Amino acid sequence: MRLDVATQNDFDAIIAFYDDVTERTPEMATYARWSKGKHPTVEGIRAYINEGSMYLYRENDTIIGAMAVTMYQGEDYHAINWTEQVADDQVAVIHILAVSPDAQGKGFGSEMIREAIRLAQSKGMQAVRLDALASNTPAHKIYERLGFEYRGKQHLHAENTGWTDFYFFEYKYK
């Protein structure tokens, strides 16, 4: 699998992709609770593209999967009891991972996560972290199967969920 770094030329296609994922993914309202226009946001996607953190997996010029991988963590990650405290710029974080509803259940999401792990390692990151809603139990199982460890939870506010619990996971390089 090869992930491409998204450019501004991809912007409209990325927005259409996330809208499609949000509208057609079974159980979206239960597990991830994404909402068109609220999460992921147009502004957030634009920011990820501008900083070179937005990645796409395509087949025949069609976006099959998308995610952001930042080479830093934000303050929301500071309260978690990580296996090792490292500087914010030594941690990669996976955000807004999505796979087209037509391709879900075929291993693309897992392979994208593996690619994110390899990418972060190639950039010298000490760990890869991510968060997911406490209700997103299918995602938790995938993360743990790929070697991520549950490290804690926080009760946070998000535009698409209001106040809710988020679980935090970490992948440490061996």
Side-chain angles (χ1 to χ4, degrees):
M1 168 177 281
R2 193 184 102 227
L3 294 174
D4 297 320
V5 177
T7 69
Q8 282 301 328
N9 293 335
D10 298 311
F11 180 76
D12 290 339
I14 294 169
I15 296 301
F17 169 78
Y18 278 107
D19 286 350
D20 182 56
V21 168
T22 300
E23 292 170 359
R24 291 195 312 121
T25 296
E27 307 293 338
M28 177 62 76
T30 302
Y31 296 127
R33 294 172 33 195
W34 287 6
S35 177
K36 186 175 174 181
K38 286 187 175 182
H39 189 78
T41 65
V42 168
E43 297 81 14
I45 290 168
R46 183 172 280 120
Y48 288 135
I49 292 170
N50 287 340
E51 70 183 27
S53 298
M54 191 82 216
Y55 293 88
L56 305 174
Y57 173 63
R58 296 180 190 157
E59 286 186 347
N60 303 319
D61 293 328
T62 300
I63 299 173
I64 302 297
M67 69 179 161
V69 183
T70 59
M71 298 301 154
Y72 59 88
Q73 67 181 5
E75 286 188 25
D76 287 349
Y77 283 67
H78 292 176
I80 300 301
N81 183 24
W82 303 109
T83 55
E84 184 179 336
Q85 295 301 319
V86 296
D88 288 348
D89 65 355
Q90 293 297 301
V91 177
V93 179
I94 299 172
H95 306 274
I96 61 172
L97 172 67
V99 174
S100 167
D102 299 325
Q104 290 174 6
K106 299 178 181 176
F108 291 114
S110 294
E111 191 55 34
M112 288 172 63
I113 293 168
R114 287 186 196 98
E115 284 295 312
I117 291 168
R118 288 190 278 275
L119 173 69
Q121 187 173 33
S122 75
K123 294 187 179 277
M125 298 293 110
Q126 300 300 305
V128 179
R129 296 174 178 163
L130 53 82
D131 63 82
L133 290 177
S135 61
N136 199 349
T137 53
H140 303 169
K141 290 175 186 171
I142 292 168
Y143 303 145
E144 290 172 343
R145 190 181 74 240
L146 293 172
F148 283 78
E149 292 181 8
Y150 169 79
R151 299 302 304 162
K153 75 177 179 178
Q154 286 197 78
H155 194 68
L156 300 170
H157 185 271
E159 288 299 317
N160 59 312
T161 63
W163 287 97
T164 193
D165 288 335
F166 286 80
Y167 284 10
F168 289 74
F169 295 85
E170 178 179 47
Y171 182 93
K172 287 291 291 177
Y173 296 103
K174 298 180 179 22

